[in-house]
Amino acid sequence: MTAQNSATRLDSIAVRSRAGSRGNSGTTLAALGVVAFSLTFPATAWGLESFGPWSLVSLRSVLAALIAGGFLLAGRVPLPGREHWAGLAVVAGGVVVGFPLLTTLALRTSTTSHAAVVVGLLPLTTAVVAALRTGVRPPLRFWAAAVAGAVVVLGFTLAQSGGGVSAGDGFLFAALLVCAAGYTEGGRLARHLPGWQVIGWALVLCLPLGAAGSALGLAYEPVHLTGHGLAGLVWAAAGSTFLGLYVWYRGMAEIGPARASQLQLAQPLLTLVWSVALLGERLSPAAPLAACAVLVCIAVTQRVK
């Protein structure tokens, strides 16, 4: 009897050890994804030193699609079912084309620190779009936090833009909506396909459009190759678009969306750090304060059951 109890305890310890190991691995992967995402805006700002906005977004899409296609071919992944292609088109339009293009256009006139605060509202926007898409009825506290976060960002935007909304801010707000739609649809598809395959097929779906856009953009926009410009392009394509999403989805699969979302709260603040360290930007006092206020609002929504 004692031997059996001892064996049971050892088995339980082994199971907990394996679960803890998976949790630690998932947390590390999700954290790497957040770091990769936080570098997207500085990389885009660097890329704009060498390429026009249309060329940069198109080349980024093509490079990421080639990497994703290589992984899909190496894994001999079968084509998704016909019923998934409409959803993949929404993911492609929101995450692969819409968000990169709109934020790149915004960064021609906005600083990365300003853009980081505005786009810091993305988790809340995604939660609202997901609630509307799925018909889920979050409690009043969720909506109060969402509205408070929106008010903070709108107030920050108006203060930084002299009382009005600039064209760059318009691009950023539009980017929030299209990316939230892409994230929401991607989350739905991830119930049927592995998450990395969702973004992989969305990238491949955009390859013809990206190739055409690259040809036109390079023909009509000036190109001035610099080390920063090339590094920005490579990171935006390989780091942010493919590698970041790959490790993010892998980590989220291991620790769950709720815990992963907690890690993503640090993303706007990390981007503010990169904007100073890599781009030499000077932060206005309002930027970190607004970012922290948005972080608090998002944290409240994460704790709503």
Side-chain angles (χ1 to χ4, degrees), residues 180-201:
Y183 275 177
T184 299
E185 196 63 20
R188 186 189 67 81
L189 286 172
R191 300 173 190 167
H192 310 283
L193 300 170
W196 74 272
Q197 291 184 22
V198 172
I199 188 60
W201 287 118

Side-chain angles (χ1 to χ4, degrees), residues 118-133:
V118 176
V119 177
L121 200 61
L122 181 57
L124 285 178
T125 309
T126 302
V128 172
V129 171
L132 296 174
R133 174 74 170 83

Side-chain angles (χ1 to χ4, degrees), residues 68-238:
F71 273 79
L72 292 169
L73 284 175
R76 298 184 179 180
V77 178
L79 288 171
R82 187 176 300 177
E83 68 275 13
H84 298 320
W85 284 106
L88 288 170
V90 174
V91 175
V95 178
V96 179
V97 177
F99 184 79
L101 177 59
L102 290 167
T103 53
T104 299
L105 291 172
L107 285 172
R108 293 184 305 167
T109 55
S110 297
T111 63
T112 59
S113 57
H114 180 92
V117 174
V118 176
V119 177
L121 200 61
L122 181 57
L124 285 178
T125 309
T126 302
V128 172
V129 171
L132 296 174
R133 174 74 170 83
T134 61
V136 175
R137 303 287 184 184
L140 181 61
R141 189 153 62 102
F142 169 90
W143 294 111
V147 170
V151 168
V152 168
V153 170
L154 182 59
F156 171 80
T157 300
L158 292 175
Q160 296 290 299
S161 303
V165 177
S166 66
D169 292 324
F171 286 131
L172 290 172
F173 287 127
L176 285 174
L177 294 176
V178 299
C179 190
Y183 275 177
T184 299
E185 196 63 20
R188 186 189 67 81
L189 286 172
R191 300 173 190 167
H192 310 283
L193 300 170
W196 74 272
Q197 291 184 22
V198 172
I199 188 60
W201 287 118
L203 285 165
V204 170
L205 185 63
C206 288
L207 184 55
L209 180 63
S214 297
L216 289 173
L218 292 174
Y220 290 98
E221 291 180 334
V223 176
H224 306 287
L225 295 181
T226 65
H228 275 176
L230 291 174
L233 170 61
V234 171
W235 180 260

Side-chain angles (χ1 to χ4, degrees), residues 35-59:
V35 173
F37 298 153
S38 71
L39 282 160
T40 301
F41 284 174
T44 301
W46 274 3
L48 286 171
E49 294 180 12
S50 293
F51 304 97
W54 297 91
S55 302
L56 179 61
V57 172
S58 298
L59 289 170

